[in-house]
Short mmCIF file of all heavy atoms in Angstrom, two decimals:
data_model
loop_
_atom_site.label_atom_id
_atom_site.label_comp_id
_atom_site.label_asym_id
_atom_site.label_seq_id
_atom_site.Cartn_x
_atom_site.Cartn_y
_atom_site.Cartn_z
N ASP A 118 4.70 -0.73 18.15
CA ASP A 118 5.38 -1.29 19.31
C ASP A 118 5.69 -2.75 19.02
O ASP A 118 4.79 -3.52 18.69
CB ASP A 118 4.51 -1.19 20.56
CG ASP A 118 4.38 0.25 21.04
OD1 ASP A 118 5.36 1.01 20.88
OD2 ASP A 118 3.32 0.60 21.56
N GLY A 119 6.97 -3.10 19.14
CA GLY A 119 7.38 -4.48 18.97
C GLY A 119 7.59 -5.12 20.33
O GLY A 119 7.47 -4.46 21.37
N PRO A 120 7.94 -6.39 20.36
CA PRO A 120 8.17 -7.08 21.62
C PRO A 120 9.29 -6.46 22.46
O PRO A 120 9.28 -6.54 23.68
CB PRO A 120 8.53 -8.50 21.21
CG PRO A 120 8.18 -8.64 19.79
CD PRO A 120 8.07 -7.27 19.22
N ASP A 121 10.24 -5.82 21.76
CA ASP A 121 11.39 -5.22 22.46
C ASP A 121 11.36 -3.70 22.46
O ASP A 121 12.40 -3.07 22.66
CB ASP A 121 12.69 -5.73 21.83
CG ASP A 121 12.84 -7.23 21.96
OD1 ASP A 121 12.49 -7.77 23.03
OD2 ASP A 121 13.27 -7.86 20.98
N GLY A 122 10.20 -3.09 22.19
CA GLY A 122 10.09 -1.63 22.19
C GLY A 122 9.65 -1.09 20.85
O GLY A 122 9.05 -1.81 20.05
N ALA A 123 9.96 0.17 20.60
CA ALA A 123 9.53 0.85 19.38
C ALA A 123 10.15 0.20 18.15
O ALA A 123 11.30 -0.19 18.13
CB ALA A 123 9.93 2.32 19.43
N SER A 124 9.34 0.08 17.09
CA SER A 124 9.79 -0.49 15.83
C SER A 124 8.93 0.09 14.71
O SER A 124 8.27 1.11 14.91
CB SER A 124 9.67 -2.03 15.87
OG SER A 124 10.33 -2.59 14.74
N ILE A 125 8.93 -0.55 13.57
CA ILE A 125 8.09 -0.14 12.44
C ILE A 125 7.49 -1.37 11.77
O ILE A 125 7.99 -2.48 11.91
CB ILE A 125 8.87 0.66 11.38
CG1 ILE A 125 9.98 -0.18 10.75
CG2 ILE A 125 9.40 1.97 11.93
CD1 ILE A 125 10.62 0.43 9.51
N ALA A 126 6.43 -1.14 11.03
CA ALA A 126 5.90 -2.11 10.07
C ALA A 126 6.06 -1.44 8.71
O ALA A 126 5.74 -0.26 8.56
CB ALA A 126 4.43 -2.41 10.35
N ALA A 127 6.59 -2.16 7.73
CA ALA A 127 6.86 -1.59 6.41
C ALA A 127 6.36 -2.52 5.32
O ALA A 127 6.63 -3.73 5.36
CB ALA A 127 8.36 -1.34 6.25
N TRP A 128 5.64 -1.95 4.36
CA TRP A 128 5.06 -2.73 3.27
C TRP A 128 5.45 -2.09 1.94
O TRP A 128 5.09 -0.96 1.66
CB TRP A 128 3.55 -2.78 3.42
CG TRP A 128 2.82 -3.62 2.43
CD1 TRP A 128 3.27 -4.76 1.82
CD2 TRP A 128 1.49 -3.40 1.95
NE1 TRP A 128 2.30 -5.26 1.00
CE2 TRP A 128 1.19 -4.46 1.06
CE3 TRP A 128 0.53 -2.44 2.19
CZ2 TRP A 128 -0.02 -4.56 0.39
CZ3 TRP A 128 -0.69 -2.54 1.54
CH2 TRP A 128 -0.96 -3.59 0.66
N SER A 129 6.20 -2.82 1.13
CA SER A 129 6.63 -2.35 -0.18
C SER A 129 5.88 -3.13 -1.24
O SER A 129 5.83 -4.36 -1.20
CB SER A 129 8.15 -2.56 -0.33
OG SER A 129 8.61 -2.06 -1.56
N ARG A 130 5.30 -2.43 -2.23
CA ARG A 130 4.52 -3.11 -3.25
C ARG A 130 4.53 -2.36 -4.57
O ARG A 130 4.74 -1.15 -4.61
CB ARG A 130 3.08 -3.32 -2.80
CG ARG A 130 2.28 -2.03 -2.63
CD ARG A 130 1.88 -1.85 -1.19
NE ARG A 130 1.06 -0.67 -1.02
CZ ARG A 130 1.45 0.37 -0.29
NH1 ARG A 130 2.63 0.39 0.28
NH2 ARG A 130 0.66 1.41 -0.13
N SER A 131 4.31 -3.12 -5.63
CA SER A 131 4.28 -2.58 -6.98
C SER A 131 2.88 -2.10 -7.33
O SER A 131 1.89 -2.68 -6.88
CB SER A 131 4.69 -3.64 -8.00
OG SER A 131 5.97 -4.10 -7.75
N ARG A 132 2.83 -1.08 -8.14
CA ARG A 132 1.53 -0.60 -8.62
C ARG A 132 1.07 -1.38 -9.85
O ARG A 132 -0.11 -1.66 -10.01
CB ARG A 132 1.62 0.88 -8.95
CG ARG A 132 0.32 1.43 -9.48
CD ARG A 132 0.34 2.91 -9.57
NE ARG A 132 -0.93 3.43 -10.04
CZ ARG A 132 -1.26 4.69 -10.00
NH1 ARG A 132 -0.41 5.57 -9.51
NH2 ARG A 132 -2.42 5.11 -10.45
N PHE A 133 2.01 -1.68 -10.72
CA PHE A 133 1.68 -2.34 -11.98
C PHE A 133 2.30 -3.73 -12.04
O PHE A 133 3.38 -3.96 -11.50
CB PHE A 133 2.19 -1.52 -13.18
CG PHE A 133 1.58 -0.15 -13.28
CD1 PHE A 133 2.33 0.97 -12.98
CD2 PHE A 133 0.27 0.02 -13.68
CE1 PHE A 133 1.79 2.23 -13.06
CE2 PHE A 133 -0.29 1.28 -13.76
CZ PHE A 133 0.47 2.40 -13.46
N GLY A 134 1.62 -4.65 -12.70
CA GLY A 134 2.18 -5.96 -12.96
C GLY A 134 1.87 -7.00 -11.90
O GLY A 134 1.32 -6.71 -10.85
#
Side-chain angles (χ1 to χ4, degrees):
D118 289 326
D121 298 320
S124 190
I125 62 168
W128 184 31
S129 182
R130 66 244 183 244
S131 299
R132 179 169 181 168
F133 298 107

